[in-house]
Structure formats: structure tokens, C-alpha cells
Amino acid sequence: MKPIYSCDDGYGEIKIIHRAGGTLQTFSTPSRARSGDYQQIEIGGGAPADSTVYVTKGEAYTVVDTLQTEDTRFAGFALSSLNRVLVAHALRQVGVPEDFELVVGLPLHDFYWDNGNPNQDLIAAKRDTHRIPVHLRTLEGDRALPVPAKVHVLPQSLVVAMQSPAEDQDLPIAVVDIGSRTTDITVVQNGKVDFSRCGTLPDLGVAAAVDRFQAGVEKRCAQRLPNRKILQMALIQNKRIRIKGSDIPESDQQGARDEALREIAGRVQRGVEQHARTLDDCDHIILIGGGALLLEGQFDWPHAQLHANAVHANAMAWLETLEQV
């Protein structure tokens, strides 16, 4: 059996999970890249020790945090060259062998049509896009990276729900997946998806929380904060923000943070309840995704539980499913 690498290729992060010597290994890297060859020069004028420039279908992309990177929040991201490069970069970081299998996902509303039938054309397109070669650009020339021998495509959230059965089989289970750009709601009952209660909240996730946090800090400090990476670290890791060489007042930063988390959590909860009609009848609610970690404790759902590995929940569920085949 070929080694399987499970990849949740999100708008904010590329998450990979696989087994090495029987041990589960997880890896995450920001979804940050820019079109073009922007090979960085190290201090002292030397060539970089490791290239992060990739070429696919004749297009060059540079994967690096220090550049003004491109916004991944566009409709065609899942099938784009940018997505393919980011996944290839992450696979290279974990060190995939020449012969391996890859599993990726699609949101439930993309994987299935409204009538519950799989969207075979989109599934095939997602599978095919990761079979297109990606080359690493080096000083010696472009070098081909390993291409997966097989690509599996599975629906997001659904497998997580199926792995967490209700104590009362007649009661539904809900999975709320809070990502960087979107929040997805999946409701499963008696092993079947209730498509009438599933949906996606567009532009509502970690990125929206960062936007709201930025607005709150700028209002309190009366200054612009253009560096989004610093803002995201301040929101997620509670790292202090410095402006013009000085820390902003802690009370201002904490007040803006608390306000942003409350507002975004409230919007997520109201949106989820509208899609699902109610979650009161659910046996339990599983919270997954990076946004679930950020917003933990903000929801008025007493039967909600944070997944033990919220960030890698989808990728882990896919890997375990394929390992059982």
C-alpha cells in the first residue's frame, strides 16, 4: 500500500496529516504565495539556501510570508494553479516520497448537488488539478516534484460527522466547520445527510474576525494598521501590536479582540441556526477548523464540543477512512 497524505487545502492554511513509522504526523503552513518569481536574497547578498519558487503550467509562484501575498478568497481557488502550488509546497515540506497517494476535499455543497448526487465533474476536476506537474525552481534549473499516483476527493465535515455517532441514533449530529473564509454547517441523521439543513456562510470565519479586530484597534488608536500578518498573530496568539516603535495600550488591544470574537461568534451562531433551522434537537455539535479554536467558549450551545484535533479534523477523518479501505 502506498503512503497516504491527507491534505485540507484551506484558504488560510494548508494542513497535512500522514503516518510515518506508524506515528501520526501533522503539518500546517499558511496559504500565502504570490504570482511571479520573487526569489529572495539573503542578508549579505548570498543566494537563498532553499527555493520557494514553483512553476506549474508555465506560471511561476513564490511561496513566502514576507511578500504582499495574494488573497486566496476567490471562488475558483480549489481548482487554481495557486492552490496546486500551495499544496505542492506543503507536501515538499513534509517530504513526500516519489510514489504516494493524496486525499483532498471539497465543501459539502460543492461535492454534492442539491439532490444529493455527487458532482462528478467537479470531483474529477479537483482530482485532475493535483495531477498536473509542479516544478521547483532552483539555480540549477527547474526540478519536477513528485506527482501523486492517485488523488482521492472526499467531502469536508461529512466524514467527521459519520465518525461521531449519536447516543440516540434517531437524533441528528451537527458539524460546524469554521475556516479562514467560510463556515460550513453539516447535519447528519441516521447516517444520512440532511441537505435541507446544510449550508455555507460565505466570508464568515477567521478572516472576518481579523477584519473586525483591525477596525476595532484602529478606532481606538486612531491609526492605520496595514500589516495583516501582525494583526492575525495578535488576534490568534494574543501577541502585542507595536505602532511606531511602541506597544499599543493593552486595554485597547484586548478590548478590540474581545469585541471582535463576540461579534463574529454571534454572526456564526445566527447564520448556522438559520441554515439548520435549529440545533437544539441535535445529540451534539462538533466544532472543527481553526476558527473553532479561536472562538471556543463564545457560543451559546451547551451541547457543543471542540474536536480533539479541530484544525486537522477533516484531514484526519479522510486519512482514517482510506486506511480502512
Side-chain angles (χ1 to χ4, degrees), residues 2 6-7 24 49 51-52 85 101 182 184 199 229 246 269 280:
K2 297 180 178 64
S6 184
C7 177
L24 207 60
S51 174
T52 58
V85 162
E101 295 185 11
T182 62
D184 294 319
K229 181 182 176 183
S246 300
Q269 180 159 346
D280 290 349

Side-chain angles (χ1 to χ4, degrees), residues 214-235:
Q214 178 176 3
V217 173
E218 291 179 344
K219 180 180 179 180
R220 286 167 169 79
C221 299
Q223 297 187 72
R224 292 286 296 166
L225 300 172
N227 194 316
R228 188 173 181 83
K229 181 182 176 183
I230 290 176
L231 284 161
Q232 185 162 327
M233 291 176 63
L235 179 67

